Structure formats: C-alpha cells, structure tokens
Amino acid sequence: MSREINKAWEARVRKSSTKKRANSTFTQMSVAHVDDDESALCQVEKILPNGDFYTGQWLDSFPHGQGKYLWTDGCMYVGEWITGSTMGKGRFSWPSGATYEGEFKSGYMNGKGTYIGSSGDTYKGSWVMNLKHGQGTESYPNGDFYDGEWKKGLQNGQGRYQWNNGNQYIGQWKKGVLCGNGTMMWDNGNRYDGSWEEGLPKGNGTFRWSDGSFYVGDWSQDPEEQNGTYYPSSSSDSPMDWDPQNLYTVELNDCQIFPCENVAIYPSQKTLSGCGGEEDNRPLLKKRTDGSGRPRWTSEDGRMSSYSCNDGNDGFDLGRKSGFSAMDIHCLSSRSSLPRLRVKNPKRQGVTISKGHKNYELMLNLQLGIRHSVGRPAPTPSLDLKSSAFDPKEKVWTRFPPEGSKHTPPHPTCEFRWKDYCPVVFRALRKLFKVDPADYMISICGDDALRELSSPGKSGSFFYLTNDDRYMIKTMKKAEVKVFLRMLPAYYKHVRAFENTLVTKFFGLHCVKLTGTAQKKVRFVIMGNLFCSQYAIHRCFDLKGSTFGRTTDKPESEIEPTTTLKDLDLNFIFRLQKSWFQEFCRQVDRDCDFLEHERIMDYSMLVGVHFKETTAAGAVTPSCISSAGCYTPTGLEDGMPRLSGVDVDNLFVDPSRWIQLGVNMPARAEMTVRKSSSETPQLVGEATGEFYDIIIFFGIIDILQDYDISKKLEHAYKSFQYDPTSISAVDPRQYSKRFRDFIFRVFVDDT
C-alpha cells in the first residue's frame, strides 16, 4: 500500500512542479492546506528555528513525500521522505562538493548508490547503513580502480585492483588489504601467485618472470623464514642473482592501495530542527483571499505566492485525487489523535569528583592502584588458565607510601595498601573482552576525574562512572566479594564459551585499605557500562518478573532519562527480528542456567531504549499504528533495515559501533496498556498496535547475590504478608523460571 501512496505523492509533485519555476536556488513553493491542520498532506516552505530551510511536502509536522532540506552548514538533501526520515531515492550533498545519489533507508545511505568525493574519487555500488557493503566499484583520484566486494566500508572478499601504472591484483581481500590467495601482475609481465597476509606475500607462493623463470617457496618478510627454489629459463636474461626479498623492497613499491576518502558527516547524523513541535512547525505560508474571493497564499512577511488553489477544499483531495483509499485517510488522521509519547533530553549523569569532594582521595588511590596493576610488566596472558589462578588466596598486596617506593610513585594522599584479587584471571578477562590495556588505563586513570552517581543503590553500594562512560565502578560488600570469588571459575568458563553472553562483563576486582586510625577497607569491582553509546537513552527499565515493590510511582511528566523504571512501570513489548530473537532466547536460557547452577538470584534485565523518531520538543513519533488492519505509510518494511541477526559483522548502525546481541540493536517497541480492574497487578499489559522504531540495549545485571540465610529469612517473612510468587527473594530455581517466563513475554519475535 505504501508504494501506491508514494506513487500518488510523486505524481502530485510532478504535476504541481510544472506550475512553478524560478531561477533562485529555492523557488517560492505553494502550500496545499486543510484549514491549518497539519495532519493532512500539504506543500510548505519553512525556515526552521535554527536557520535550516525545508521546501516540499509535509505531513503531521514532518517532511513526508518529495522535499528539499538545506542545513545551515551547507549540507543538502533532495528526494523522498517518510515521516521526517530520508527514505527512498534522493541526493545528499556536502559543502565540500561531495555528493551521494541513490537509495536511502531510515536516514542512512542504504541500497544502490553513487558517492562522488570532493577529491574526485567515485564509488558505485551497494551500501548498508552509510557504509560500502556488497558489490561495488571505486575510481580513485590518482587513476587507480577497484572492482569487487566490500564489507564495513573496506575491500573485503574477492576483488580486482588496477593501478594507474598498469599493475593489477586479482584475489582475496580482508579489511582493506590483500589477504588470502591472490595474483599480482606487473605491467612488465612479472607475476606472483600465492598467499597474502596483511597486504604482503606470506606463505606458499610462486614468483614468475616474463621470460619464463620462476621462484617457488615459502615467503616471508623475515629473511630467516624465507626459503624456496629458483628455476631459471633458457633465456640468457634470466636473473640468476635475484634476492627473494626484492619482492618486498622493490617489486611492491609501486603497488600501494590508495585510501578511500572519509565521509565528513553521515546523512543519518544530520538532525531536523524543530520538526514535530507545536509552535515552531506552523507553515510559513498562510491562506488569504484576493479581491475575487479566491484563496491565495502569502508568507508571514506578506509576500504573495503565485499559486491559487481551486480544488474546492483548499488542498489535496486525498480520497479523490491522490489515490488514497478511505481506510488510508482514516489511518493518517487517526495518527494525530493518539496520545503522543514524550521524552526528555538526557543529562550527563553523576557529580564530578573534584578536589574537596569527600571521596576525592579515594578516587586518587583507586587510579594509582589501577595504573600500577594494569601497567605492571607481565607476560601475555593465555586464555587457558590453571586452576590455581582462581584460588581466592591468589591476591597481590602493594603498599603506596606518599613519598613513593621502588615500585610505586609518590602521591599527594595518605598511605594506603592496594589489593588485586586473582590478577591473572582478570588480565585474561580483559583480553577475552578485547579491552586494550592502554585504553583501559586512560579511561579510568587519565586526567579526567570519575563521576559519582547521585545516590547509592538498594544494596548501599556506590557507583562511579569514568568520564568517557565506558566503565562503571561499584563498591562491594565483603560477602559479595566472597560470592564473586567462589563463582569466578564458572563465570570465566561461561563468558569464554558464549561470546554473546548477556551477563555483566567484569574487568577487575580490587581493594583499597587506608592506613592509620581509620583502617577503612573499600572493595570495588570494575564493570562495563551497558549504556555507553552514541545514542541517547530515553527510557531505562530494571526488570525481574516480580510485582511486589516493583514500581517507581512516578507520573509520566516526572520521568527522566536517568530514572530507572521497574516491572510495573513497563508499558512496552520489545519486538526483535526473528534471527536476533532466536539467539536472544538461547542466550537467556544459557545465562539463567549458569546463574541457577551458581545459586544466584535477585538479578535483573537492565533495558535501555533510544527512540529513533523524536522531535526537538521531545515528542516520539510512532512508526506504525495498526487499527482494524490499517497502517501508516511508515510500516516496518520501509522503516528500518531487515538484516541477518546471526552474523554480527553484517549488522551495524554506525561506522564506530557494530551491533551485537544487547548492544545497538534495531528493534520495535509496541505500546501496552494494563487493565486496572484486576486486584493482582498485571505484569505485562495488553498490546495497543502502536509501534516505535528504537535502538535497544539490554543485559543481565546484579549477578552477585546468592540465596543465603538472609534471603531465605526475607522470603519466609514476606510470604506471610504477600503472595510468595510476587516477591524477589525466592529460590534460585524458581527465580530463574519466573524471570525467563516474564522476559519471554516482554521480548517477542517481530513477526
């Protein structure tokens, strides 16, 4: 249906465009309007609050149909829109002179398209979410040419590269360099057939001269690893004294791969100013009447438009002229009558721990200890660890006097002692989680201070965030440390076996012991921050599957992006693409089996939601509203990418961060409503058919609470007063079953 609607809009645009021609960059456009109600399709010319300019078709406070948008920085898009998102065919140009012309999807360059860079390089081929991906050709400014496969913006797979000097390579690529089996052919007739690695010959291969002589052997840039046999031809010109290392130092000198031009800013990163608001989105052209009584249009400053509307209803007759059916019109109009979900702009969390803060010295001690632990020389850790590495007694104490010592630097705080728990294990975990030691130290121990979250958690623990939001530091009780050390061997085995595990990633376990009269010990663990992303988190939910005490009791107007909502606050069902949903179910089962086996309970699924279609005023636009079988033009098929969920390498939403299970995942959220008549709170509400395009983040947190005597007593006490199934403190087996049952009702297959 959406294709028929689009064709009708395009036909209308072509018809109306013949009525207005001008020599200026932006012609003064006419507006078709229905009694100043923007929920009908109309033609507008708008100068937006920040100076951006839009001219074209408009629907329900968004560009919709054919239109042109000019940003104040000089970027411009001309083409098709659907509800404020570039969708279909269009042309995007940069101030540098670079252009992309082709297909768009959900704001991304996606499909077939041609990019011409400011320096003259040209790519024609397939794109997936802003990156060259699939089959394509690249013509470089220096005359080089590539024809072949691409992945994540780089040559990857089978391809042919032709240099401007006549040399060419045909074979396999990996991440933009020659890798695998391939053939290099020089303009003088020489050639190499064999294995490549990191852009150079490595392994078995044959170098042939044009006269028929050849050298066969194992190739390496290290002369000591090079070995082979030379077979001369009968020609007198055969190079008898040729050194195999000449292949690296001479022959390949003229075979450098020309770098692709970097895109300054991706179209998906450009935002629309003020779209969707109330005051800022009234068309700048208003309806007036001329002397004959016919309606005409003037701008806010009184300039007259050349267009006169004689359609009888002062606008598009959607049912009669544009090919819309009565059901389509009902869907479009009912959309604006539904209550709009609103979100607030997220604020930076926490208070910076600066000099004078009560925990300033503790932060300095922590940073000194981390720098010492991670920077200490140690052999590269093997992932195959001995059982002794997990021994709870395997810990290293280090003394930090203020004046410094042989192994520690001087520092401005009081003397303290630093303890590393199981250092070999956590070094291996950081390697397993692909954490670069230098980046890790910079994040935690760099010049930027940590930030303390405003209030402690329910357990009394305090949380600190690194300045780049990558890591979270949580203080721990002695009992929690014991539980963690007890389960550490099983945890290591689990996260090593399942790369997509949803359980919290731990990077270090430490203790600071202050000397003197206080003798205070502060134990803490370093974890990954699930919500470290370029996307703003608009809603945060902590889900357990229980009902007792599981609400924040906050009205919608008081909910901040930093508010952690609970089970009874949840008003969405999250729909994952089929392949992702299947992997999600498998992984939740694996993780819950692991936690149940370790006698862990009271864990929860932390969920962060980023709404893709939000306006400057905070209104969230539904991507689809189903009612009696009708949909708005922004159904899922045209609203978001339909990619495989199993191959992580083929899924991505941004050049800097790839999708993986629970991180940066495109999905849909369907609004739900709870029935208030029941005495027992309804855990999952009834689906309403109102959908939102989202990016979702989720993971299993708080996995260090075992079912000890205190939790057994809590369960017994609360069971006298409340339904035993509604409280959090239950046996790990029962907790695991209840948790899974609930989560598999909240996360469903997007069929």
Side-chain angles (χ1 to χ4, degrees):
M1 183 182 292
S2 62
R3 291 181 179 177
E4 296 174 0
I5 295 172
N6 284 332
K7 286 181 179 179
W9 287 332
E10 291 172 8
R12 182 70 185 183
V13 171
R14 285 193 294 269
K15 181 179 177 181
S16 62
S17 64
T18 59
K19 298 182 180 180
K20 41 194 179 289
R21 298 283 186 229
N23 295 326
S24 61
T25 304
F26 296 100
T27 60
Q28 188 169 357
M29 302 293 286
S30 61
V31 177
H33 210 264
V34 182
D35 298 330
D36 291 331
D37 180 5
E38 288 193 9
S39 62
L41 186 66
C42 58
Q43 197 82 6
V44 301
E45 182 177 274
K46 297 170 72 69
I47 299 175
L48 299 167
N50 70 340
D52 291 354
F53 182 88
Y54 175 78
T55 177
Q57 291 179 300
W58 192 264
L59 177 68
D60 194 21
S61 301
F62 290 100
H64 201 82
Q66 290 285 341
K68 179 192 297 184
Y69 194 106
L70 176 64
W71 286 268
T72 53
D73 63 1
C75 292
M76 184 172 68
Y77 172 81
V78 181
E80 299 174 2
W81 300 77
I82 292 184
T83 320
S85 180
T86 54
M87 187 84 70
K89 293 184 178 180
R91 184 177 188 272
F92 190 95
S93 59
W94 287 262
S96 63
T99 61
Y100 168 83
E101 189 163 1
E103 296 175 312
F104 287 80
K105 201 171 211 178
S106 298
Y108 297 91
M109 299 183 287
N110 198 306
K112 298 291 184 182
T114 299
Y115 176 84
I116 302 176
S118 57
S119 57
D121 60 335
T122 301
Y123 171 82
K124 296 181 180 180
S126 296
W127 298 75
V128 173
M129 307 188 84
N130 288 338
L131 297 182
K132 303 164 187 173
H133 195 92
Q135 199 72 23
T137 63
E138 177 95 20
S139 300
Y140 298 89
N142 68 340
D144 292 357
F145 180 81
Y146 173 81
D147 182 5
E149 295 176 285
W150 298 76
K151 189 176 183 180
K152 296 181 181 178
L154 297 171
Q155 299 95 330
N156 205 97
Q158 196 72 19
R160 176 178 67 89
Y161 193 99
Q162 177 84 43
W163 282 267
N164 58 9
N165 57 14
N167 301 340
Q168 67 172 317
Y169 169 83
I170 302 175
Q172 295 175 312
W173 297 70
K174 186 176 182 180
K175 296 182 179 180
V177 296
L178 285 56
C179 191
N181 292 319
T183 298
M184 178 73 75
M185 293 172 284
W186 282 265
D187 187 52
N188 60 10
N190 298 343
R191 63 183 288 165
Y192 168 84
D193 300 89
S195 298
W196 298 76
E197 187 176 298
E198 297 296 329
L200 297 172
K202 183 69 182 286
N204 189 262
T206 302
F207 187 90
R208 303 176 187 274
W209 283 265
S210 57
D211 65 356
S213 56
F214 60 94
Y215 178 96
V216 181
D218 290 322
W219 296 81
S220 174
Q221 204 172 8
D222 183 354
E224 295 183 1
E225 297 179 1
Q226 176 79 44
N227 64 82
T229 305
Y230 174 70
Y231 297 91
S233 70
S234 57
S235 170
S236 58
D237 296 331
S238 189
M240 300 295 294
D241 58 347
W242 188 77
D243 182 358
Q245 289 299 302
N246 285 353
L247 177 58
Y248 301 95
T249 59
V250 179
E251 307 291 345
L252 292 174
N253 277 345
D254 295 331
C255 299
Q256 302 299 313
I257 307 300
F258 198 88
C260 299
E261 179 176 301
N262 292 325
V263 178
I265 184 170
Y266 292 95
S268 59
Q269 294 172 303
K270 300 298 293 180
T271 58
L272 308 187
S273 171
C275 294
E278 297 173 358
E279 291 298 320
D280 294 332
N281 288 295
R282 289 175 296 193
L284 298 183
L285 301 186
K286 291 188 174 181
K287 183 174 69 172
R288 306 184 191 279
T289 56
D290 58 13
S292 64
R294 293 181 301 172
R296 294 181 63 81
W297 298 90
T298 64
S299 65
E300 295 279 20
D301 59 5
R303 291 175 297 165
M304 185 68 69
S305 168
S306 59
Y307 179 74
S308 176
C309 181
N310 294 306
D311 290 341
N313 66 344
D314 298 340
F316 290 152
D317 183 341
L318 297 179
R320 180 169 54 87
K321 296 189 176 183
S322 297
F324 284 80
S325 67
M327 180 177 286
D328 299 329
I329 300 172
H330 169 72
C331 290
L332 290 172
S333 61
S334 66
R335 178 172 172 172
S336 59
S337 65
L338 289 170
R340 297 289 291 274
L341 175 67
R342 289 190 173 273
V343 295
K344 298 179 181 179
N345 290 327
K347 299 177 182 178
R348 192 167 174 80
Q349 281 187 278
V351 177
T352 301
I353 304 176
S354 54
K355 197 166 185 179
H357 191 284
K358 63 178 182 178
N359 289 325
Y360 178 69
E361 289 194 357
L362 178 63
M363 180 193 72
L364 295 182
N365 296 343
L366 185 155
Q367 291 177 323
L368 283 166
I370 294 291
R371 191 179 294 117
H372 172 76
S373 300
V374 179
R376 185 172 52 219
T380 302
S382 168
L383 296 181
D384 297 317
L385 301 180
K386 298 179 180 178
S387 58
S388 59
F390 298 94
D391 191 331
K393 297 179 181 178
E394 188 69 20
K395 48 197 173 189
V396 179
W397 279 102
T398 305
R399 177 173 164 267
F400 280 80
E403 67 276 9
S405 67
K406 182 179 179 180
H407 303 291
T408 64
H411 59 87
T413 69
C414 62
E415 179 174 327
F416 69 94
R417 295 185 70 197
W418 172 264
K419 184 195 289 187
D420 271 330
Y421 295 91
C422 300
V424 175
V425 176
F426 286 101
R427 194 178 287 265
L429 280 171
R430 292 193 292 270
K431 179 181 178 181
L432 184 66
F433 295 139
K434 298 178 175 61
V435 174
D436 181 77
D439 291 341
Y440 184 70
M441 280 200 294
I442 290 172
S443 291
I444 301 174
C445 314
D447 295 334
D448 296 315
L450 302 178
R451 304 196 315 277
E452 183 180 69
L453 298 190
S454 56
S455 61
K458 184 179 178 182
S459 64
S461 299
F462 283 86
F463 291 86
Y464 304 93
L465 278 172
T466 57
N467 191 63
D468 59 6
D469 291 331
R470 291 179 63 184
Y471 302 103
M472 183 174 284
I473 300 166
K474 175 189 176 185
T475 61
M476 300 180 71
K477 295 179 180 179
K478 187 176 182 178
E480 289 180 305
V481 172
K482 286 185 176 180
V483 171
F484 191 16
L485 293 175
R486 185 205 75 203
M487 63 183 286
L488 188 57
Y491 172 83
Y492 182 81
K493 181 179 179 181
H494 182 76
V495 297
R496 188 180 179 189
F498 303 110
E499 184 180 7
N500 283 338
T501 181
L502 298 174
V503 298
T504 306
K505 290 181 169 62
F506 295 112
F507 303 109
L509 181 62
H510 312 282
C511 176
V512 170
K513 181 180 180 181
L514 304 178
T515 58
T517 56
Q519 292 289 310
K520 180 182 178 182
K521 283 186 178 179
V522 182
R523 304 169 184 87
F524 56 90
V525 65
I526 301 175
M527 311 176 290
N529 179 16
L530 181 63
F531 295 160
C532 178
S533 170
Q534 71 273 31
Y535 295 106
I537 303 299
H538 297 123
R539 284 286 188 274
C540 175
F541 297 95
D542 181 275
L543 308 176
K544 292 186 177 183
S546 57
T547 56
F548 177 70
R550 300 299 295 163
T551 179
T552 58
D553 289 326
K554 281 192 174 184
E556 182 75 21
S557 59
E558 294 182 14
I559 295 176
E560 301 286 343
T562 55
T563 302
T564 301
L565 302 171
K566 299 180 182 179
D567 302 64
L568 295 180
D569 303 310
L570 181 67
N571 55 345
F572 295 105
I573 292 172
F574 302 115
R575 297 187 173 273
L576 306 181
Q577 189 184 333
K578 186 179 182 65
S579 52
W580 276 123
F581 177 71
Q582 292 172 343
E583 176 61 20
F584 171 79
C585 292
R586 286 192 293 265
Q587 195 56 53
V588 169
D589 282 334
R590 294 165 184 154
D591 291 339
C592 287
D593 287 343
F594 157 66
L595 295 171
E596 181 183 333
H597 184 266
E598 293 301 310
R599 301 291 294 167
I600 301 297
M601 44 76 67
D602 214 24
Y603 46 88
S604 55
M605 179 75 77
L606 185 66
V607 180
V609 178
H610 167 83
F611 293 99
K612 294 176 68 175
E613 302 296 337
T614 58
T615 69
V620 184
T621 306
S623 63
C624 177
I625 300 172
S626 61
S627 175
C630 72
Y631 291 82
T632 65
T634 54
L636 173 65
E637 201 62 37
D638 293 326
M640 62 184 298
R642 303 291 291 178
L643 303 172
S644 169
V646 177
D647 184 2
V648 171
D649 285 339
N650 288 339
L651 279 161
F652 39 87
V653 294
D654 187 89
S656 61
R657 295 291 298 272
W658 311 122
I659 293 175
Q660 54 187 303
L661 186 66
V663 179
N664 284 330
M665 290 185 61
R668 291 200 302 166
E670 182 176 5
M671 183 76 79
T672 61
V673 177
R674 285 184 176 80
K675 295 179 179 178
S676 57
S677 58
S678 174
E679 292 183 3
T680 303
Q682 189 177 10
L683 200 53
V684 180
E686 303 293 332
T688 63
E690 181 172 329
F691 297 88
Y692 297 87
D693 286 342
I694 62 171
I695 302 294
I696 193 169
F697 302 77
F698 50 82
I700 299 176
I701 64 169
D702 294 337
I703 65 169
L704 300 180
Q705 177 61 61
D706 66 343
Y707 195 53
D708 58 12
I709 186 63
S710 66
K711 288 295 179 181
K712 292 177 182 178
L713 291 173
E714 180 185 342
H715 174 76
Y717 174 73
K718 290 183 177 179
S719 295
F720 284 115
Q721 300 172 288
Y722 310 102
D723 179 2
T725 62
S726 70
I727 58 180
S728 294
V730 295
D731 177 84
R733 181 178 297 178
Q734 182 183 346
Y735 191 95
S736 173
K737 182 181 184 305
R738 185 181 67 186
F739 178 81
R740 291 188 230 199
D741 290 344
F742 172 60
I743 291 300
F744 293 149
R745 292 175 63 195
V746 173
F747 287 82
V748 298
D749 184 1
D750 192 0
T751 55

